[in-house]
């Protein structure tokens, strides 16, 4: 199956709007949109390569994330979650796909607290532009996953689909890749998880954001561009275990979800 065929079949990936970009956008679907995977077939490596030890560069876009802002604790908690993730058993689950364990996910170029106000509708091209702006003052890192975090006053859109806060909820977060200055930049966006379709009952906003950060980071590492995915369903490793079993509180008191294990042929937490 080709990468374009994957996108035609996939429950979580769709083609980028810009035809010049060959890599798909891969979405984390809301509850009730992506049914539990009943297919027990394993992931296969389609030759695209993995990011063995990724560096997660967090780009907090909006004045509320800055020191003293209403969402500063949200931002610093996501940083703390990122900092410890690569040494957890929840990260070790993807060691079987060629990912290094342990791995220092905070080992890349510095995070960015951008205090400009994002637009209400943050399109995919806008996300890419924000990453490109970051790269204008920082060295490109081929192992980086540039992760844009937006506040509750904005929502993400991709084509006619939106995240929480938008008019057409179809996803909670996503990862993708695009070409810039001769490089392939891997990126994710973590919108504010404030709607029922992207929340676990009883969890705080930042706990729900942690859930999507681990989902998108593990998938961007194992399938940055055409690597590990299920050739039957098109699902990536976290997609196969999305929402079922339920996301859980794990290492460090942070939130995670199960991961598909090729070795065991089932979803595992650690």
């Amino acid at each position: 199956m080709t990468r374009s065929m994957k996108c035609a079949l996939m429950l979580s990936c769709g083609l980028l709007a810009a035809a010049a970009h060959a890599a798909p956008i891969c979405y984390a679907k809301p509850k009730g949109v992506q049914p539990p995977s009943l297919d027990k077939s394993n992931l296969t490596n389609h030759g695209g390569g993995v990011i063995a030890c990724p560096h997660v560069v967090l780009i907090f876009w909006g004045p509320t994330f800055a020191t003293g802002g209403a969402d500063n604790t949200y931002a610093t908690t996501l940083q703390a979650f990122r900092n410890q993730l690569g040494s957890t058993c929840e990260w070790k689950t993807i060691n079987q796909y060629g990912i290094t364990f342990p791995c220092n996910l905070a080992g890349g170029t510095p995070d960015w607290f951008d205090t400009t106000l994002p637009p209400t509708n943050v399109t995919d091209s806008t996300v890419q532009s924000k990453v490109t702006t970051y790269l204008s003052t920082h060295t490109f890192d081929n192992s980086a996953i540039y992760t844009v975090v937006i506040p509750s006053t904005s929502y993400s859109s991709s084509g006619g689909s939106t995240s929480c806060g938008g008019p057409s909820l179809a996803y909670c977060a996503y990862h993708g890749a695009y070409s810039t200055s001769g490089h392939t930049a891997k990126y994710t966006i973590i919108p504010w998880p404030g709607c029922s379709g992207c929340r676990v009952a009883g969890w705080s906003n930042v706990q729900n954001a942690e859930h999507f950060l681990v989902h998108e980071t593990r998938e961007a590492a194992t399938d940055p561009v055409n690597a590990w995915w299920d050739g039957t369903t098109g699902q990536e490793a976290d997609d196969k275990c999305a929402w079922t079993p339920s996301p859980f509180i794990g290492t460090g008191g942070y939130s995670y979800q199960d991961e598909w294990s090729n070795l065991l042929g089932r979803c595992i937490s650690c």
Side-chain angles (χ1 to χ4, degrees):
M1 183 185 297
T2 66
R3 185 68 166 179
S4 60
M5 289 174 67
K6 172 198 174 184
C7 296
L9 290 175
M10 195 163 192
L11 295 173
S12 61
C13 278
L15 289 177
L16 284 173
H21 302 308
I25 292 176
C26 297
Y27 302 97
K29 295 289 190 176
K31 289 182 291 184
V33 175
Q34 178 168 303
S37 177
L38 301 179
D39 180 86
K40 301 304 181 184
S41 58
N42 276 340
L43 309 175
T44 53
N45 191 319
H46 296 265
V50 301
I51 307 175
C53 185
H55 301 142
V56 177
V57 177
L58 293 165
I59 299 173
F60 297 102
W61 189 8
T64 60
F65 292 126
T67 301
D71 300 319
N72 180 249
T73 298
Y74 179 98
T76 56
T77 301
L78 287 182
Q79 287 180 306
F81 174 62
R82 181 271 316 272
N83 293 352
Q84 58 87 57
L85 177 57
S87 62
T88 65
C89 63
E90 290 87 359
W91 185 258
K92 192 176 182 180
T93 58
I94 56 175
N95 183 234
Q96 63 186 284
Y97 303 118
I99 307 302
T100 301
F101 175 83
C103 169
N104 180 13
L105 274 66
T109 50
D111 296 337
W112 181 22
F113 283 78
D114 177 1
T115 58
T116 64
L117 186 67
T120 301
N121 179 4
V122 179
T123 66
D124 184 59
S125 61
T126 301
V127 177
Q128 293 180 17
S129 294
K130 184 57 59 176
V131 173
T132 299
T133 299
Y134 175 89
L135 290 173
S136 70
T137 56
H138 296 83
T139 301
F140 176 80
D141 179 356
N142 195 48
S143 293
I145 302 169
Y146 299 99
T147 301
V148 178
V149 182
I150 58 175
S152 60
T153 50
S154 297
Y155 64 86
S156 163
S157 70
S158 175
S161 301
T162 65
S163 69
C164 288
S168 184
L169 176 65
Y171 60 87
C172 301
Y174 66 76
H175 74 91
Y178 75 101
S179 297
T180 178
S181 300
H183 303 293
T184 299
K186 282 73 70 176
Y187 69 102
T188 71
I189 180 166
I190 307 296
W192 193 267
C195 57
S196 60
C198 298
R199 296 180 64 86
V200 174
W203 282 12
S204 67
N205 286 317
V206 73
Q207 286 175 316
N208 285 292
E210 291 159 10
H211 165 210
F212 296 115
L213 183 56
V214 70
H215 179 120
E216 297 303 333
T217 300
R218 290 192 303 204
E219 288 191 340
T222 57
D223 185 29
V225 184
N226 201 31
W228 288 98
W229 48 274
D230 183 332
T232 301
T233 66
Q235 292 176 316
E236 296 174 304
D238 282 71
D239 298 325
K240 291 176 75 71
C241 306
W243 301 110
T244 304
S246 178
F248 61 93
I249 302 299
T251 301
Y254 296 106
S255 60
Y256 306 83
Q257 68 156 79
D258 277 24
E259 179 78 356
W260 180 261
S261 171
N262 271 3
L263 295 175
L264 298 176
R266 60 179 174 85
C267 296
I268 61 173
S269 59
C270 275

